Amino acid sequence: MSARSRGTVGLVRTDRRTGALLRARGATVRVDGTTLLDGVDLDVLAGEVLVVVGPNGAGKSTLLSVLAGDRAPDAGTVTFDGAPLATVRPAELARHRGVLLQENRVSFPFRVVDVVRMGRAPWRGTDAEDRDEDVVARALDDADVTRLAARRYPTLSGGEKSRATFARVLAQEPRLLLLDEPTAALDVKHQERVLARAREHARAGGAVVVVLHDLALAAAWADRVLVLAGGRVAADGAPAAVLTTDLLTAVYDHPVDVLPHPVTGALLVLPRHAAGTVGAPADPTAPTAPSLAEDLA
């Protein structure tokens, strides 16, 4: 990945009262009598990668849509730079926060480079427009899709589409990145590349909120982890404090081992697999398989 410095256009201030770029208090969302988010409090801070994890239906994507301003909470408040998020003009908001959704559809057979250029739309008519081609080229490089620039978007694989859309979000040059499962369709190399770019964005003074299902990636890349369960915050803190065997086992209703890597000491978060052949019933007379944590103890 290119190590050259990246300029940031149109930075917004953090809320001087809280130190937060984005702040949610008591955010609640209800749909058809079902509570999807229940009183969520959250500060999104510049300079950090905040990873949101939780089981299916925990409210992760709903929270991201509330933080993006795409869905107004039914109760509670969300402020951006100290102002109610709902009062920020769409054009201004588009310059300051970029959103990568789980599903990205393009109806027409645009070339990849044209899809990435769409990320520059919020800057049309401003001085930043003069930098469009340089920004687009850098975004293509960062997402490793330069060689795909002339390809038609519908012809790409799922992982290639994900990377092209990530490049579009980077071309937007927002201070706040909101990424929903950006690594789901990616191979190992590109998972690492995308999250490394997110970390670089935070170190340059931006803020990143990323939803991940992969707990190992969360442990490796998060500065802070928010665990959601049933629409509520189950934990919020440093990975080592939040990603614990007891908490994750309870939240996911499945045994999870959390242990130090035997070489690096970094956190390893691994689901405990049932013994025996996949699809075969367990043998009640067989000895219980030790956990990975016990094996490495």
Side-chain angles (χ1 to χ4, degrees), residues 183-209:
T183 62
L186 302 184
D187 57 37
V188 171
K189 169 187 171 181
H190 290 104
Q191 287 179 353
E192 294 291 305
R193 186 170 181 135
V194 164
L195 293 174
R197 181 63 185 88
R199 171 63 62 78
E200 182 182 356
H201 182 83
R203 285 178 174 168
V208 180
V209 180

Side-chain angles (χ1 to χ4, degrees), residues 8 26 29 52 101 152 177 197 218:
T8 306
V29 173
V52 181
L101 302 175
R152 300 293 173 179
L177 290 177
R197 181 63 185 88

Side-chain angles (χ1 to χ4, degrees), residues 86-276:
T87 67
V88 182
R89 292 183 297 110
E92 181 181 357
L93 190 60
R95 293 173 187 167
H96 298 310
R97 67 96 178 94
V99 184
L100 179 64
L101 302 175
Q102 286 187 39
E103 295 186 13
N104 300 281
R105 299 176 181 175
V106 176
S107 300
F108 298 97
F110 292 110
R111 296 178 304 162
V112 168
V113 66
D114 295 323
V115 171
V116 177
R117 284 188 181 124
M118 293 175 189
R120 298 302 297 164
W123 299 104
R124 191 170 297 133
T126 72
D127 291 342
E129 189 175 27
D130 296 337
R131 303 170 48 250
D132 281 1
E133 291 309 307
D134 288 340
V135 173
V136 168
R138 186 168 63 237
L140 288 164
D141 178 52
D142 283 347
D144 194 24
V145 290
T146 301
R147 65 181 178 83
L148 303 175
R151 287 271 301 275
R152 300 293 173 179
Y153 185 88
T155 71
L156 303 181
S157 71
E160 289 169 339
K161 288 178 180 177
S162 179
R163 285 154 44 205
T165 308
F166 181 58
R168 176 188 57 76
V169 174
L170 293 179
Q172 196 174 330
E173 288 194 305
R175 189 175 186 191
L176 173 63
L177 290 177
L178 299 171
L179 311 176
D180 197 355
E181 287 292 330
T183 62
L186 302 184
D187 57 37
V188 171
K189 169 187 171 181
H190 290 104
Q191 287 179 353
E192 294 291 305
R193 186 170 181 135
V194 164
L195 293 174
R197 181 63 185 88
R199 171 63 62 78
E200 182 182 356
H201 182 83
R203 285 178 174 168
V208 180
V209 180
V210 53
V211 172
L212 293 176
H213 269 301
D214 190 321
L215 296 173
L217 288 176
W221 290 102
D223 296 308
R224 196 168 114 237
V225 176
L226 179 81
V227 181
L228 285 179
R232 297 181 178 181
V233 175
D236 180 1
V242 168
L243 299 177
T244 66
T245 294
D246 289 345
L247 176 67
L248 295 178
T249 295
V251 165
Y252 285 90
D253 192 25
H254 183 88
V256 177
D257 287 310
V258 181
L259 58 151
H261 190 285
V263 177
T264 66
L267 281 183
L268 289 177
V269 183
L270 301 169
R272 194 177 303 178
H273 302 293

